[in-house]
């Protein structure tokens, strides 16, 4: 393998892992999208979050509180497989889940706060998964 091929390969690896051209700081279009999916398919968690958000939107906060428990349990069970893939992304989703749990488990849940927490959770999941 010649030196130019080695350098080209090293540059490609750097772009794929960081999203930036080495030494330039320039972000390569599409590279961030590849990095955004490092946690893999979060579909089953997103389904639960969307179900929960729909219940919140209908004002069924007690039902939403019960449904989000499924998300909490499933997320905790999947931690060992997900967290090593992209720890920073995992923590972002985990914190968004915690905020949604806190909003729904408040002694007097505020519907607007619950809606905001669920919208934030879904947005974070969309960025962190495929």
């Amino acid at each position: 393998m010649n030196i130019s091929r080695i350098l080209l390969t090293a540059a490609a690896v750097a772009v794929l892992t960081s999203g930036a051209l080495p030494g330039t700081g320039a972000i390569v279009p599409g590279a961030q999208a590849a990095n955004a999916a490092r946690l893999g398919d979060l579909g089953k968690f997103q389904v639960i979050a969307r179900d929960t958000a729909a219940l919140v939107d209908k004002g069924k906060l007690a039902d939403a509180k019960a449904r989000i428990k499924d998300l909490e349990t499933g997320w905790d069970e999947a931690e060992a497989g997900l967290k090593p893939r992209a720890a920073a992304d995992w923590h972002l989703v985990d914190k968004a889940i915690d905020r949604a749990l806190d909003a729904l488990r408040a002694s007097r849940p505020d519907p607007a706060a619950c809606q905001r927490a669920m919208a934030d959770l879904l947005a974070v999941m969309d960025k962190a998964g495929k």
Side-chain angles (χ1 to χ4, degrees):
M1 187 179 275
N2 64 32
I3 190 71
S4 61
R5 180 175 261 169
I6 292 170
L7 291 174
L8 183 58
T9 302
V13 169
V15 167
L16 290 174
T17 58
S18 72
L21 291 172
T24 68
I27 301 298
V28 176
Q32 287 181 326
N35 282 341
R38 291 184 296 191
L39 282 178
D41 183 10
L42 300 181
K44 65 182 179 181
F45 304 113
Q46 290 169 312
V47 166
I48 299 169
R50 282 192 295 271
D51 290 351
T52 304
L55 291 167
V56 168
D57 289 344
K58 292 176 185 173
K60 297 181 176 186
L61 299 183
D63 292 341
K65 179 180 171 181
R67 181 64 172 135
I68 202 166
K69 177 70 176 167
D70 296 332
L71 176 60
E72 179 184 33
T73 302
W75 185 254
D76 289 346
E77 289 171 357
E79 178 179 358
L82 293 175
K83 192 174 180 181
R85 290 181 180 184
D89 292 337
W90 182 89
H91 281 289
L92 288 174
V93 175
D94 190 61
K95 292 298 179 194
I97 291 170
D98 288 345
R99 289 189 297 273
L101 287 166
D102 289 346
L104 286 164
R105 291 177 175 166
S107 59
R108 297 183 129 198
D110 174 21
C114 292
Q115 285 179 318
R116 283 190 303 273
M118 291 310 304
D120 177 55
L121 173 58
L122 288 165
V124 170
M125 284 182 160
D126 284 344
K127 289 181 183 176
K130 284 186 179 176

